[in-house]
Amino acid sequence: MTRYKFDMAQEPVLAQLGVHRPETKFFSAKLASGGGRSMAFAAVKRKEEQLGITVP
Protein backbone atom coordinates (compact mmCIF):
# COMPACT_ATOMS: atom_id res chain seq x y z
CA MET A 1 0.00 0.00 0.00
CA THR A 2 1.33 3.43 -0.86
CA ARG A 3 0.99 6.72 0.95
CA TYR A 4 -0.13 8.52 -2.21
CA LYS A 5 -2.77 11.13 -1.59
CA PHE A 6 -4.59 12.67 -4.53
CA ASP A 7 -4.03 16.40 -4.79
CA MET A 8 -5.61 18.23 -7.74
CA ALA A 9 -2.85 20.87 -7.66
CA GLN A 10 -0.26 18.15 -8.27
CA GLU A 11 -2.12 16.77 -11.31
CA PRO A 12 -1.43 19.29 -14.11
CA VAL A 13 -2.81 17.01 -16.86
CA LEU A 14 -6.20 16.85 -15.17
CA ALA A 15 -6.21 20.61 -14.69
CA GLN A 16 -5.45 21.09 -18.40
CA LEU A 17 -8.32 18.80 -19.33
CA GLY A 18 -10.67 20.90 -17.21
CA VAL A 19 -11.37 18.22 -14.61
CA HIS A 20 -12.43 19.79 -11.34
CA ARG A 21 -13.11 18.59 -7.82
CA PRO A 22 -16.60 17.02 -7.57
CA GLU A 23 -19.44 18.81 -5.81
CA THR A 24 -19.47 17.81 -2.15
CA LYS A 25 -23.18 18.47 -1.75
CA PHE A 26 -23.83 15.18 -3.55
CA PHE A 27 -21.31 13.22 -1.46
CA SER A 28 -22.63 10.86 1.17
CA ALA A 29 -20.09 9.61 3.71
CA LYS A 30 -22.35 6.61 4.39
CA LEU A 31 -22.04 5.50 0.77
CA ALA A 32 -18.27 5.96 0.68
CA SER A 33 -17.67 2.56 2.29
CA GLY A 34 -18.60 -0.87 1.01
CA GLY A 35 -20.57 -1.60 4.17
CA GLY A 36 -22.56 1.60 3.84
CA ARG A 37 -23.43 0.80 0.22
CA SER A 38 -24.49 -2.73 1.18
CA MET A 39 -26.79 -1.37 3.89
CA ALA A 40 -28.26 1.20 1.49
CA PHE A 41 -28.92 -1.41 -1.21
CA ALA A 42 -30.49 -3.74 1.36
CA ALA A 43 -32.79 -0.90 2.48
CA VAL A 44 -33.79 -0.22 -1.15
CA LYS A 45 -34.48 -3.95 -1.66
CA ARG A 46 -36.67 -4.08 1.48
CA LYS A 47 -38.59 -1.00 0.31
CA GLU A 48 -39.10 -2.53 -3.15
CA GLU A 49 -40.44 -5.72 -1.55
CA GLN A 50 -42.80 -3.70 0.66
CA LEU A 51 -44.10 -1.80 -2.37
CA GLY A 52 -44.36 -4.92 -4.51
CA ILE A 53 -41.91 -3.64 -7.11
CA THR A 54 -40.16 -6.31 -9.16
CA VAL A 55 -36.85 -5.48 -10.74
CA PRO A 56 -35.60 -7.73 -13.56
Side-chain angles (χ1 to χ4, degrees), residues 19-46:
V19 178
H20 304 285
R21 185 176 304 276
E23 293 280 336
T24 56
K25 66 180 179 179
F26 299 112
F27 176 75
S28 171
K30 291 180 181 178
L31 297 177
S33 70
R37 285 190 297 275
S38 294
M39 289 174 49
F41 289 129
V44 168
K45 181 120 179 110
R46 278 194 308 274

Side-chain angles (χ1 to χ4, degrees), residues 6 8-9 11-22:
F6 180 79
M8 194 67 156
E11 303 292 340
V13 174
L14 295 179
Q16 289 174 1
L17 293 174
V19 178
H20 304 285
R21 185 176 304 276

